[in-house]
Amino acid sequence: MKHHIRYLHYASEFSKFLEELKQQHPEIEEHQREGFALLWDRPPLDLEEQERANASEVKPKAYVYA
């Protein structure tokens, strides 16, 4: 699909705002990476921890509607 040449470099106002904000405050991206790492980049659980987590899991009832 061919795009018109003037739309190839289009950036929304919000995109421009974010780029300007990142240029003024370059530490923002580092803080984002740190926050992401806190939530998602966790070391794998060892077998004992996995077994304990599985054993302590609360099983949902088969029929949840009353």
Side-chain angles (χ1 to χ4, degrees):
M1 177 156 97
K2 293 184 178 183
H3 296 286
H4 196 274
I5 191 76
R6 77 176 173 181
Y7 294 115
L8 290 178
H9 301 290
Y10 172 78
S12 69
E13 288 183 32
F14 186 71
S15 295
K16 291 176 186 177
F17 167 77
L18 285 179
E19 287 299 318
E20 185 177 317
L21 183 67
K22 288 179 183 180
Q23 287 176 355
Q24 292 173 356
H25 302 282
E27 70 278 0
I28 288 177
E29 287 189 32
E30 182 61 32
H31 290 295
Q32 286 178 324
R33 283 190 210 96
E34 290 171 2
F36 184 88
L38 283 174
L39 295 174
W40 299 107
D41 296 342
R42 296 183 181 176
L45 298 175
D46 64 8
L47 290 178
E48 285 182 14
E49 290 174 340
Q50 284 180 355
E51 289 173 0
R52 191 179 73 225
N54 290 339
S56 66
E57 183 177 328
V58 177
K59 304 292 183 202
K61 293 182 180 180
Y63 187 73
V64 295
Y65 300 103

